[in-house]
Amino acid sequence: MNKDESLALYAKGKEAWNIWANEMLAKKAKLEENGEWQINIFSKEGLNSATKDWVAQASVDFSGHVFEVVDIDFSNFIFPYCANYKSAKFSGEAKFNEATFSDNVWFINATFCRATEFMYTTFSGDAEFNDATFSGYAEFSKTKFNGEAGYNSAKFSSEAKFNGATFSREAW
């Protein structure tokens, strides 16, 4: 989805979002079952029209968006494929507690102005927070990083907690 579509779906709330996400995951399972799932694991692009269509529908884009409301809550949201938050700005608190990221997520150069929580979150693909700025406390307690976890040049101005977080692959 493009940014406008991603924002419109988010505005409908967690229930509508997760219905969409579960439908997308079911479609992916059907593609795999039928032998139609063909993906470039490096570029994350589909290699046939069925997979390309699914990738376009299942990816979300919040890049460059300024979340100006007091609190943003993506807790318990399911992300069926890649999620792009590059250069996004969270003016209030940002919560991603117990969210499930089924593939890569990019918070590269994102700005978190207040408290940020990723407690009990699952990152199945790579999670990149390179050059991100955390002005309030950041908590990643009990988070599962199943892909690589990147915090290269990230700036933490306050406490950062990773209590009980697990890293299955490289973390920097």
Side-chain angles (χ1 to χ4, degrees):
M1 288 189 288
N2 66 33
K3 187 167 24 175
D4 290 336
E5 293 166 331
S6 299
L7 288 166
L9 182 57
Y10 173 71
K12 291 180 181 180
K14 177 179 63 177
E15 185 176 327
W17 181 284
N18 285 344
I19 288 170
W20 161 79
N22 284 315
E23 288 172 357
M24 295 309 305
L25 291 169
K27 286 180 183 180
K28 179 183 179 189
K30 187 86 166 168
L31 289 172
E32 291 173 330
E33 180 182 311
N34 294 338
E36 297 178 76
W37 180 253
Q38 296 177 5
I39 195 86
N40 180 317
I41 61 170
F42 299 107
S43 69
K44 297 299 184 181
E45 295 174 359
L47 298 175
N48 61 20
S49 62
T51 307
K52 285 179 185 177
D53 290 344
W54 185 89
V55 166
Q57 294 171 20
S59 302
V60 296
D61 183 9
F62 295 101
S63 62
H65 185 71
V66 177
F67 292 93
E68 293 188 25
V69 295
V70 175
D71 297 323
I72 294 298
D73 197 349
F74 282 98
S75 294
N76 295 296
F77 275 55
I78 300 167
F79 295 83
Y81 200 55
C82 297
N84 183 355
Y85 287 90
K86 292 177 184 173
S87 299
K89 181 178 181 180
F90 298 88
S91 298
E93 291 185 3
K95 294 182 181 180
F96 290 85
N97 298 323
E98 298 183 64
T100 300
F101 291 93
S102 301
D103 210 282
N104 294 348
V105 59
W106 303 285
F107 287 95
I108 297 166
N109 204 39
T111 302
F112 299 92
C113 297
R114 295 183 56 204
T116 305
E117 296 178 354
F118 285 89
M119 296 184 293
Y120 296 92
T121 300
T122 300
F123 294 104
S124 295
D126 295 345
E128 295 191 32
F129 292 86
N130 301 330
D131 296 306
T133 301
F134 296 88
S135 296
Y137 83 87
E139 184 152 8
F140 294 86
S141 295
K142 303 288 186 179
T143 295
K144 294 179 185 175
F145 294 91
N146 296 321
E148 294 184 5
Y151 290 86
N152 191 40
S153 298
K155 297 161 198 73
F156 293 90
S157 299
S158 188
E159 189 173 18
K161 294 181 181 180
F162 290 83
N163 301 338
T166 57
F167 298 87
S168 298
R169 295 192 50 210
E170 185 176 1
W172 68 93

